[in-house]
Amino acid sequence: EVNVASGGIGLYIVGLPDNTIKESHERIQAAFENSGYRLIAKKTVVNLAPADIKKEGSHYDLPLAVVLMQLSGNLKKNISDLAFIGELSLSGEIRRVNGVLPMVIKARELGVKKIFVPVENSGEAAVVDGIDVYCAKNLIELMNILNEDEVAEKQTSNSVKAGHGKELMPDFCQV
């Protein structure tokens, strides 16, 4: 949940976030600035509900950034049927994260039809049937795709094999 209100400036993340999530504000702000975007200049509160469950990990960076892009007017597209996973570097690059496979499976179970993941996680995500997987290298490329200035290539387990030149091996670390 996100609320934008007058009476202050800043991004506040609530809902039992760990330090990695609290630090995402700094990563997002730097990624915006280094990608040519600006954060909305109002008090913005992000509630990671339910508040009684601890949240951890840098994979929240990208979905938070996309919502803030929409609030700041840089993104006009309705993103309610999309999901995003990824860490942002200070330069705006989208970095790989751990645990993408179970997150993509859960997104599919929740009815998500399209998901954006880091390029390095595309092989892992593409093995999940029933959800379209896309990736972008950085925040600018993602915004161009979402604003339909660029076309994203759907990732498949076959395209991942061909693109990386190696056999896609099962990863049993999530079992």
Side-chain angles (χ1 to χ4, degrees):
E1 301 171 317
V2 180
N3 184 63
V4 178
S6 57
I9 295 177
L11 175 62
Y12 303 91
I13 302 172
V14 299
L16 209 52
D18 74 347
N19 282 338
T20 306
I21 298 171
K22 289 178 185 175
E23 293 167 354
S24 69
H25 171 262
E26 301 303 326
R27 288 190 300 275
I28 291 169
Q29 185 174 16
F32 269 50
E33 289 174 6
N34 291 320
S35 300
Y37 301 107
R38 291 189 177 264
L39 282 171
I40 191 167
K42 290 187 176 188
K43 181 180 179 181
T44 306
V45 180
V46 177
N47 181 28
L48 301 175
D52 61 337
I53 298 174
K54 186 159 180 74
K55 286 79 171 182
E56 56 185 38
S58 60
H59 59 275
Y60 287 95
D61 287 2
L62 191 58
L64 289 171
V66 171
V67 168
L68 295 171
M69 282 291 193
Q70 193 169 40
L71 291 172
S72 64
N74 292 304
L75 175 60
K76 306 286 191 235
K77 181 178 181 164
N78 180 353
I79 57 170
S80 63
D81 60 340
L82 304 176
F84 304 88
I85 301 170
E87 178 183 325
L88 284 176
S89 73
L90 300 181
S91 67
E93 300 297 312
I94 300 172
R95 292 184 173 162
R96 75 170 303 284
V97 294
N98 293 327
V100 166
L101 182 61
M103 287 186 267
V104 173
I105 291 170
K106 185 63 175 180
R108 180 193 63 196
E109 289 172 3
L110 293 172
V112 173
K113 300 294 182 207
K114 296 179 184 177
I115 191 164
F116 284 84
V117 301
V119 173
E120 292 84 4
N121 292 115
S122 62
E124 182 179 358
V127 299
V128 180
D129 290 327
I131 188 169
D132 294 339
V133 176
Y134 299 92
C135 53
K137 292 178 272 189
N138 56 50
L139 197 55
I140 294 171
E141 182 179 355
L142 178 63
M143 293 309 300
N144 287 339
I145 291 168
L146 293 175
N147 285 321
E148 300 176 349
D149 296 331
E150 287 184 32
V151 176
E153 181 182 329
K154 180 179 162 187
Q155 302 296 303
T156 65
S157 56
N158 290 337
S159 68
V160 172
K161 280 189 225 176
H164 290 82
K166 55 185 166 184
E167 226 23 63
L168 183 64
M169 298 298 295
D171 184 355
F172 293 101
C173 72
Q174 299 297 327
V175 177

